[in-house]
Amino acid sequence: MLKKTVLAALNEQVNAELHSAYVYLGMSAWCEGKNLPGFAGWMRKQFEEEQAHALKIYDYVLDQGGEVVLKPIAGVPAAYKSLQDVWERTLKHERQVTALIHKLYALAQKEQDFATQALMQWYVTEQVEEEKNASDILQQVKMVGTNSSSIFFIDRHVGKSRE
């Protein structure tokens, strides 16, 4: 049985993961509008991953006999200054998600909820990969600046990396 504090935090994380999905879907739309199908596809795959992350916690709560409480998902930006802005926000967003995961893991430790700790360990590991991917792509985008030939190449490369 989940303690009330852990249950509330897990429900908040479901909302945060769904919000993340929404963030990535908005970024995907922006990239599509800029004729960057590789980046758009990467963001769309990320959208799908975030939904799966939310459902993993959702199912865990139900499996533990808890009640899932879905809240409204906050709106997300529809416009960005540049491709670099998109990736800077992506990295910042992933770091915020990491902080939420760490907070939930620490709460599970404090409450001696070993099952939730085990679940959250998967997310801790996943966030290392998420931040690395965002950071690597941001660095590449920064290197090429606004060189359209280079952006075209990176767009194709990033799109293929998520297939």
Side-chain angles (χ1 to χ4, degrees):
M1 184 99 189
L2 294 168
K3 293 184 179 177
K4 287 181 183 181
T5 55
V6 173
L7 177 59
L10 287 167
N11 274 309
E12 287 297 322
Q13 193 62 38
V14 168
N15 184 267
E17 298 292 339
L18 291 172
H19 180 260
S20 288
Y22 205 38
V23 165
Y24 285 116
L25 190 59
M27 289 177 171
S28 178
W30 185 87
C31 290
E32 282 288 351
K34 299 297 181 192
N35 196 23
L36 296 167
F39 288 116
W42 192 98
M43 294 294 180
R44 190 170 181 128
K45 291 275 188 202
Q46 201 65 19
F47 160 76
E48 293 167 0
E49 274 189 24
E50 299 301 334
Q51 287 181 308
H53 294 171
L55 289 174
K56 186 175 184 133
I57 298 170
Y58 173 98
D59 289 337
Y60 174 78
V61 167
L62 293 174
D63 290 347
Q64 292 291 318
E67 179 183 0
V68 173
V69 178
L70 299 175
K71 295 181 180 179
I73 300 170
V76 298
Y80 300 90
K81 293 183 272 184
S82 64
L83 186 58
Q84 183 174 325
D85 182 38
V86 168
W87 286 99
E88 285 171 347
R89 290 185 191 209
T90 298
L91 181 55
K92 181 180 178 185
H93 179 74
E94 286 300 338
R95 287 176 175 160
Q96 291 169 339
V97 171
T98 297
L100 293 173
I101 296 294
H102 289 178
K103 185 178 175 184
L104 186 46
Y105 185 92
L107 175 63
Q109 278 184 315
K110 178 182 169 215
E111 296 290 348
Q112 295 186 345
D113 182 338
F114 304 112
T116 300
Q117 274 182 269
L119 173 72
M120 297 319 299
Q121 182 58 57
W122 182 89
Y123 286 88
V124 168
T125 303
E126 175 72 6
Q127 282 307 118
V128 171
E129 178 186 342
E130 299 289 2
E131 284 190 36
K132 181 185 180 334
N133 288 338
S135 179
D136 287 351
I137 295 170
L138 172 59
Q139 293 312 311
Q140 291 174 358
V141 168
K142 283 181 174 181
M143 277 191 274
V144 302
T146 58
N147 182 310
S148 58
S149 303
S150 297
I151 290 173
F152 176 80
F153 175 76
I154 294 172
D155 180 65
R156 295 314 180 260
H157 174 73
V158 166
K160 294 246 184 254
S161 73
R162 295 299 300 245
E163 289 179 352

